[in-house]
């Protein structure tokens, strides 16, 4: 029934490959089916201006999509001279999601920038960016701890994200592009390793939805996050 | 217990004054306590480029905040040369919310632009913009119907929005600035007159939240929207 | 003879309502007929860079027009990414006009920013901005004096502005949009409470004009300013 | 008494050299003392969009200053990414001044762009731009007439501009930088060959001024313009 | 003697992997040692405006570097709002290089955009972009030919690029970052499969160089290009 | 055979007039046939940020073209809001070329900015900018030495630039616009007074070229530079 033949509650095949770029303090390439996002974590010695002399650090994110990650080439944002509203909305979401599991006092006065660059897009790029971004962040913090620059672990829990939506009248897990482009309702769920909610965003693309619909989507999301956290753990222990 | 002395499920005093500006096809000033937003609807003869020759129209929104709407003066976006990520995120939300209750075929090949300009801010400006924006839109469409330019009503239902959050450990309705700036969890709920969901956005500002928390916030939101729709109806029939 | 039926030397109905916004140190809404401008004064602790350590302060202005203040919606400058030449010219004029009646040594090392936002436009928005901006400035300085931050009054005189022009061959006072859009010659006159000139700008829109024309316009302007200063005084004493 | 030793009503030495650049349809280099401006007129086949199919043409101006035209190097506007408010104000003035002596029906559906680039600045660059810009415009229109593209002469009169101000308590003609930087009142006067006024702009830089002051400045301006028109005529007949 | 232990005339290990992204008409990932560039070719139905109705097509290139491709994170150009001079210079070079081996009449009225995005940088990114960009272009044109949209092959020859420079007083082939950052003279050589020159760019970073130095660098470049063309051929036939 | 009637190895008539603008520390107007470039050198007390406390100075260049320097008017870069890729490429080249003959330790912690503004263009503007820019730089440094601010001369040699290309099948020196617009191969050669190479840039505009072609162009360039250095010396000793 789904274009991909997946079960309603079935994630796409997910892999996370770590250490994919030489210079970044943490990096991974996450593949959720046809969606491939390169995530890097860069550690900067200083926090942003508004946190100087507070003892606290910051985690922020930037998001980009290569021009030909999509079916038809989209304009390069560096050439058009500004980031679209969509880009800014996504990178703000990624940053909030990751900060929700970071103890910024334990991180100390430094900043970690997570860059999420979509190499190939097939729906769900913001969710993949959060799931992969967590792994890059974890790796960069591991490096800070190995160097003795951080004593207590600032990471409080895992965090991952998945989209769910109403496709052809049924709640389904992990929408791909074919589903996403026609789904009536579409949501992104950012959930921790212990099953707590960090961010819930659900939108009616066409007809409004009910509380029961939202409950069904959240149940699917819970199952998806559990599986994604296992993939994160596996990538981090290899 | 709330800084304003309101009950946990009590909205701020809400008024909607229509016809506040001479030139716009529809306009209102919505006041939700200390949050005042001027909403205007402008009808344009042509739809955006991507809808030419489709028989369908479009509703879009722009959002701005006067520099001294806030406690300390913020920079004028026209002077800095770009709209912030926050501004863009809000105006995309307003547009989606309003389009959810519009039959774009019935609207025909035209565009209605809703401008929401915050004159004074005290929390909840995006929700007030949606609630007031609906009234401006309704008035502009009434004018099109009076002129015989539209035959069947393109508006399918009311839509309004309210914020809810966990303040001092308790779910509360309609956060003002004092509450919003310290709330642990904060959500915006866009709901139709018939109680269907259009958009749910809930974020953990500090610790993650539970499904039960979200359910409690949604129950409050339902009550708030009912009251807001009554205010809309009253403003439209006066 | 005038579209509004006013006498040649008759101002539109003018009101200035103070204290219209909660956060600004000084604020007013000036209405000159159908032209409505919200003026706020924001006090900043520091002067601009070029005045550090000089003992002197600064008064500057920013001007904006809500997109639907006009007959047809104009583009939001924050969205187009730059302020038009017209906007910049007007805000430079407002700043110069207000500084002309301020003793910047008595003001001390601080800056006052006057924001003039046009809510509804019907000609003469720059003049209304100066007349209302003076009231906002006066109120903000009163507050500084009440707090004992300023000892001697930095305001040397009132200042107000009015437009005059040659309409249908006759010099007329306080052009509204219907007159302004067809006037042959159009001038803006910024004059102090004691009748001294701060700024005179007169332009031929069509055929050039004579010195006698200019003299006639200036005589009208003198009368208009006298009336406007009375309105300012009344607003400030209520 | 004046830093330059000039009489109160004495212009600086003015020369206008025509044909200074090979490609432009009209060009001249105007030197008013130490202020040197290169003015070119470029004829474009089409009028701006808003004049298509009206039978009328347009004259517009752009103004620039080479980075080291001034005492200390100023930033190149092309590098900073925008034209300053001052630049935009000046080029709008030049355009209005020149259009005041052009019959836009006789010009026909085309546009003439006057570029005024300041090679060396010593005060009065906007006035020199208008005076020189007129010569470039006249030459370009002569060429259109020679080619038979225009039958009746669209130029109705000469136009020139000069600054006057109150320096050391005395009204003086044609301020140079040393005078301009300390003058209490400063005005720019754009006047036709027949002595009609096109634009009058007078500002108090310090204390406000009187109507009598303005009258004195205008009398000086009249004399200055007479002399400048003679220089224009001489340049055009050589 | 070289930091990498390579012989003076030895290329880094080079691989070109094709078909690395699903949507592009042609794509490859070129790795020259630690420099990894993703090259995609996107076919657009229409040529740029200046070639409409000429029967000719166009090949152009855009270049970008992921923020953490480098030792320390560089700012994202989309966020700073403009492409640096370096980026623009490189993408102009890539475009010229590829057009030199394309018969634009045979290509017909269409445009091919080559995007070169540096995933990891270790010197020589512009040369790798040209070498990889050619492969992506070749693949996209193959697809056009398979579809019968192009009849005669518009590609006239291979083209590849390599850098050479004077390192520690010796001419060396294919500088990596460690060499490039201290090299006295540095050149980029774009050469065809038949050994003809397309572009030669050599710069003295420190002391000027001699004609003999340039000759030595060109001899090295010739050998390097021969090897690179073999890698291209291998990638294209697999 | 050449459109201008020049011999294959003949430069255009070249003159360099120094002291052409009052304010700059060094200035000249270079005319290479119909190409006229105004070059000024501005001395700034401080080096750029990255050289603070290194004891070294910097020389940089900016390049601009007046809108009507060309056959048809080009848009003013200050108005379009950004410098084109071509402009940036040229100004980077001029800066590198001049730094190649400057001992930045001897210059000390200051910056010299060379502005090259093209008044009239007829091909070869970047080469004329380098040749003239050197003269402006030399004059500014002379002034620093006269003031005793610099003790040992930071200028190590002359530097000049010339273009050569293959026109109608023949290598020719110093292309003008008529030749440049049709030349098959086109190169810019930056060479010191002692005949050492600073920068070699040769491009195939159409068919690729051979090593022998490049050798022929370099021989022509050597002769041209010798002549240009003589013109520089003459201008500097007058």
């Amino acid at each position: 029934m789904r274009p991909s033949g997946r079960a309603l509650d079935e994630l796409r095949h997910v892999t996370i490959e770590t250490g994919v770029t030489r210079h970044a303090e943490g990096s991974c390439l996450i593949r959720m089916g046809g969606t491939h996002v390169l995530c890097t974590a860069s550690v900067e010695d200083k926090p942003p201006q508004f946190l100087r002399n507070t003892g606290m650090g910051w985690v922020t994110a930037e998001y980009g999509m290569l021009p030909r990650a999509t079916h038809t080439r989209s304009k390069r944002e560096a050439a058009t001279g500004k980031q679209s509203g969509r880009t800014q909305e996504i990178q703000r979401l990624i940053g909030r999601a990751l900060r929700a599991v970071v103890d910024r006092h334990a991180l100390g006065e430094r900043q970690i920038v997570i860059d999420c660059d979509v190499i190939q897009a097939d729906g769900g790029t913001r969710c993949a960016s959060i799931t992969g971004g967590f792994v890059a962040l974890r790796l960069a913090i591991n490096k800070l701890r190995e160097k003795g620059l951080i004593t207590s672990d600032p990471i409080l829990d895992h965090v991952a994200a998945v989209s769910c939506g109403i496709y052809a009248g049924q709640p389904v897990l992990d929408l791909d592009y074919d589903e996403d482009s026609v789904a009536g309702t579409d949501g992104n769920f950012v959930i921790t390793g212990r099953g707590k909610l960090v961010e819930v965003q659900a939108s009616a693309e066409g007809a409004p939805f009910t509380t029961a619909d939202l409950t069904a989507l959240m149940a699917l999301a819970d199952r998806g996050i559990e599986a994604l956290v296992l993939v994160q753990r596996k990538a981090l222990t290899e």
Side-chain angles (χ1 to χ4, degrees), chain A:
Chain A
M1 229 192 86
R2 302 179 71 175
S4 59
R6 282 187 281 150
L8 299 179
D9 63 351
E10 187 182 347
L11 286 179
R12 290 177 283 181
H13 184 59
V14 186
T15 62
I16 300 178
E17 183 184 351
T18 61
V20 293
T21 176
R22 175 191 293 185
H23 304 300
E25 282 75 27
S27 72
C28 72
L29 175 64
I30 180 167
R31 289 189 182 87
M32 291 192 73
T35 289
H36 303 173
V37 185
L38 182 65
C39 304
T40 61
S42 297
V43 178
E44 298 179 355
D45 278 353
K46 291 182 188 163
Q49 188 63 44
F50 70 94
L51 288 176
R52 300 276 159 87
N53 303 317
T54 63
M56 285 194 290
W58 193 245
V59 174
T60 189
E62 293 195 6
Y63 170 92
M65 201 182 261
L66 296 194
R68 197 55 197 282
T70 43
H71 284 78
T72 55
R73 187 177 182 272
S74 46
K75 286 197 178 151
R76 189 176 288 267
E77 289 188 330
T80 59
K82 63 174 184 175
Q83 294 180 303
S84 70
R86 178 185 172 278
T87 291
Q88 292 190 60
E89 194 169 321
I90 291 176
Q91 62 194 12
R92 284 157 55 89
L93 169 65
I94 302 169
R96 279 200 311 274
L98 296 177
R99 284 193 299 275
V101 294
V102 171
D103 175 342
R104 286 161 48 213
H105 283 97
L107 179 58
E109 283 201 19
R110 54 178 57 83
Q111 175 165 256
I112 302 185
V113 183
I114 307 298
D115 284 289
C116 301
D117 285 276
V118 180
I119 303 293
Q120 187 177 285
D122 186 31
T125 63
R126 76 188 70 190
C127 291
S129 296
I130 291 169
T131 306
F134 174 80
V135 171
L137 174 64
R138 173 76 272 178
L139 291 168
I141 286 179
N142 287 352
K143 194 165 285 184
L144 286 170
R145 295 186 71 194
E146 285 159 20
K147 288 188 184 165
L149 292 167
I150 285 182
T151 47
S152 74
D153 189 0
I155 293 199
L156 306 168
D157 199 351
H158 274 244
V159 69
V162 75
S163 75
C164 303
I166 313 283
Y167 173 76
Q170 299 271 16
V172 300
L173 177 64
D174 188 22
L175 302 168
D176 56 30
Y177 177 82
D178 285 343
E179 294 166 332
D180 190 35
S181 53
V182 297
T185 292
D186 181 9
N188 296 297
F189 301 85
V190 184
I191 302 182
T192 67
R194 293 190 194 97
K196 292 292 200 71
L197 305 175
V198 168
E199 186 110 9
V200 171
Q201 293 187 338
S203 284
E205 301 291 325
F209 54 101
T210 64
T211 307
D213 291 333
L214 183 62
T215 303
L217 297 180
M218 288 186 60
L220 284 174
D222 269 335
R223 295 175 68 146
I225 295 297
E226 264 182 61
L228 289 169
V229 170
L230 287 180
V231 178
Q232 287 178 332
R233 287 193 203 282
K234 185 153 160 281
L236 285 163
T237 52
E238 268 163 3

